[in-house]
Each structure stands twice: as structure tokens, then as C-alpha cells.
Amino acid sequence: MSRLTEIASNYETIRVVCHPNADPDCLGSAFAIMTSLKGTFPGKDIAVVAPDGIGAVSSKLVSYLGLAAEESLPEATGLVILVDMPSMDQIPSVKEAVKAKRIPYVLIDHHVRDKAAATSAIYSVIRRKSSACEIVYGLLDKSTMDVKVRQGLVTGIVYDSRRFLLPPDTSIRAVAGMMRKGASLRLAVEMLTNEQDASEKMARLKGASRVKLYKAGDWLIAFSRVGSYEASVARALTDIGADLAFIIHEDKAALRLTSRSTDKFYKRTGLNLSSDVMKPLADAFAGQGGGHPTAASVNLSATADEVTSETLSLVSSKLGLSEQDLKAIHTKK
Ligand SMILES: [Mn+2]
């Protein structure tokens, strides 16, 4: 019996909890854990909770899995299993409930470790893998996995590894293992191919047209602002040539900064967007955030100008550049 199963055996009401805007990696993992525990403990009340919605990119996967996620924790929740997030900072409603009722929780994740959250967990599995799904595949009993579970895990791995671009060896091995047992790579890719809707295309084009460009040594840093689809816009900017992209989303309540860098930039410079940029920004501007070395975001109480100049200075100092090495590029002529 796995450690996870052993822990679950002590609780009657168990919820597998997703991060906001749940992506295919999070949902594939959550579905696999739920299905595995339900199989072992048919009498228990076990379900998936997506407290802050499910991302559009997950919609085909969710209907394939037939997954009906709940929106909040039930009163009787005895155990919470968090997947694909380093802490509960992104889901304050769950964090409060867990704290108030002292609900024990398990952490299964592949982001940068949050020491406090990992220490308070009754069990945590945090590994530097391409995806949470790959970790979950390693944790669960493979002999009882059905095709649906495997297909969900394969889809999550394909999604989070960015089609095997991130450290591919172990993710390819895991996917190959599941393909031999009936999962389909073609179906996974098909479920992840969502025709961009008009508003996403619009956001990407607006984001590109509003770019403020900086040259930092040999690197190109793009800043832009949009009202939605920040991650998609950031990725679009790195796709067309930026080494680093920072997208600001500002509304009355707060400012959100979303960032992406290319793998080449990360490999050459070692600049980790999560620990070198987002964490210091969160400390400087009373915010919360985190993520991966090449994909991270933060919520801040600050203006766009403050955030832009602080971000540029964090990046320059990490790259060992002086102010003269940082040049604003005219983009309007
Ligand atoms: Mn993930």
C-alpha cells in the first residue's frame, strides 16, 4: 500500500484540490488520485474540488474524463490533497478552511518548494519533474489504472512538459509506459488543441502591439499589458523573439504580473523567474506569487511603473549588468 493510500485510509471525506484555472496537468493528476483512492476505498466520499475554476484549455479533457469537480470543500472534509501547487496561497478560501478546522493536507507538486507549506503538510511529494502527472504516475498503483486515468495523465504530461520540450527523458518514459497500456498520444494532443477564441487572439495581438522593449546585454526583455490571457500573451512574445516577457494586468483591486522566459535564456543565465524575480517582487510590494524557473506570476500592490522598474533592476542585477547595459528600444518608428 502506498503512503498516500495509507494516509487516506484514516479519513472518510477526502478532497483532491486543484489550483485556480485548473490546467490539464492539475486535472489529470487529481482525477488519477481520486480514481485510485475510490477504487481502494469504495465506501469513502472522495471527489475533486476546483475552487477557482477550470481553464479553457482543460475543457476537452474534463469532458473526456467525465469529471464533475466541486467548487468548495464540504463541511465534513477530513483530508485535503493539494495537487500541482506549492502551497494554498493561490486558493485563500481553502487555506482559511484548512486552517480554521485544522484539516490535515497532503502536497503533491513539481513547482519551487514552499518550505512552510511543505513542513505543515502531513505528507509531501515535491519533485523536479516536468509535470505533477508524472509524479502521480510514479506514486499510484499502476496495476489498477484504467485507460481513462492513463489518458488523463498522458494529457497532463504532454501539456506541462510543453510537448516534451522540458527535461524529456523521464516524461517520455512515463508516457511510453502508459501508451503501451492503451493511452493515446494523438488523443492527448487533440484534447489540448483548442482553437483560440477571438478574444484570446485579440489579447495576443494587443499585447504584441503594446510592447515596451529593452535590450539587456544580449537579451531582449518585453513588457506589455493586457486585460486577459496574460500567460498566452507572454508565451506569444517569447515565441516571436523575446527572451523574457512580462505581462501586466491591472485592475482596481490589484496588479498581476505574469512572466515567461525561454529555456535557452534560463540555461544560459540561470535566472529563475520564480525565486529571482517574483519572490523579491512579492516581498517588495506586499504580494504573493511563484511558479517555475521559466514561468511565474505574482499579485502585487503597486503601480505598473513601479513594478516595471523594480523588475528591470532585479533582472539586471541577476544578469550582472549595469544601468548602461540596459537600453530601452524604440518600437514606434
Ligand atoms: Mn503542473
Side-chain angles (χ1 to χ4, degrees), residues 14-290:
I14 300 170
R15 289 298 178 267
V16 190
V17 178
C18 295
H19 60 65
N21 224 9
D23 67 7
D25 182 36
C26 191
L27 290 161
S29 303
F31 181 79
I33 292 170
M34 176 190 79
T35 307
S36 163
L37 294 178
K38 273 184 167 174
T40 312
F41 307 110
K44 293 187 192 289
D45 172 11
I46 305 168
V48 170
V49 176
D52 214 347
I54 286 174
V57 65
S58 310
S59 59
K60 286 186 194 169
L61 176 63
V62 168
S63 48
Y64 167 85
L65 296 175
L67 176 64
E70 299 172 356
E71 286 174 8
S72 58
L73 291 182
E75 271 302 309
T77 304
L79 177 71
V80 160
I81 301 171
L82 302 165
V83 284
D84 198 29
M85 69 191 114
S87 74
M88 285 173 281
D89 287 349
Q90 304 172 61
I91 41 171
S93 63
V94 172
K95 190 176 184 174
E96 275 160 36
V98 164
K99 204 173 166 190
K101 295 184 206 155
R102 294 167 184 255
I103 302 171
Y105 67 90
V106 169
L107 202 55
I108 297 171
D109 189 40
H110 66 123
H111 296 85
V112 176
R113 182 187 207 87
D114 179 313
K115 223 176 179 180
T119 312
S120 321
I122 53 167
Y123 175 51
S124 68
V125 185
I126 300 163
R127 292 182 190 149
R128 285 302 189 94
K129 296 279 185 187
S130 66
S131 54
C133 282
E134 197 184 320
I135 300 174
V136 169
Y137 179 61
L139 287 180
L140 300 179
D141 177 5
K142 293 174 188 57
S143 68
T144 58
M145 267 183 202
D146 63 16
V147 168
K148 226 182 216 184
V149 166
R150 288 196 191 94
Q151 187 65 48
L153 291 173
V154 165
T155 306
I157 293 174
V158 172
Y159 176 77
D160 246 30
S161 70
R162 298 182 28 228
R163 317 277 202 272
F164 307 110
L165 277 176
L166 294 178
D169 295 22
T170 59
S171 53
I172 288 177
R173 209 171 295 138
V175 166
M178 290 187 270
M179 285 171 70
R180 275 195 292 274
K181 301 276 186 187
S184 154
L185 188 56
R186 178 194 295 238
L187 176 58
V189 171
E190 203 177 284
M191 287 197 284
L192 294 171
T193 314
N194 267 334
E195 199 23 51
Q196 278 171 31
D197 63 20
S199 51
E200 183 171 2
K201 288 180 196 166
M202 186 83 88
R204 288 166 72 110
L205 289 165
K206 280 183 184 172
S209 76
R210 292 171 183 164
V211 156
K212 280 189 178 167
L213 200 57
Y214 296 86
K215 197 161 186 300
D218 294 332
W219 304 107
L220 287 172
I221 309 176
F223 281 82
S224 192
R225 56 189 171 81
V226 286
S228 55
Y229 298 106
E230 298 99 293
S232 171
V233 174
R235 186 52 72 203
L237 294 182
T238 59
D239 283 347
I240 58 174
D243 298 293
L244 268 174
F246 294 97
I247 308 301
I248 290 169
H249 168 90
E250 225 176 344
D251 63 25
K252 283 150 263 155
L255 181 148
R256 184 168 178 81
L257 181 69
T258 302
S259 63
R260 294 290 183 273
S261 66
T262 61
D263 292 329
K264 180 183 160 194
F265 176 83
Y266 175 57
K267 278 201 191 100
R268 295 263 179 93
T269 66
L271 185 144
N272 181 320
L273 284 173
S274 179
S275 55
D276 294 329
V277 181
M278 296 305 162
K279 287 271 154 64
L281 283 174
D283 292 342
F285 298 114
Q288 254 164 5

Side-chain angles (χ1 to χ4, degrees), residues 312-331:
L312 282 171
S313 95
L314 286 166
V315 170
S316 310
S317 82
K318 177 70 190 176
L319 297 179
L321 299 172
S322 66
E323 280 201 8
Q324 293 94 295
D325 297 323
L326 185 70
K327 293 189 179 70
I329 308 287
H330 286 289
T331 53

Side-chain angles (χ1 to χ4, degrees), residues 290-302:
H292 300 281
T294 61
S297 60
V298 66
N299 289 306
L300 301 166
S301 307

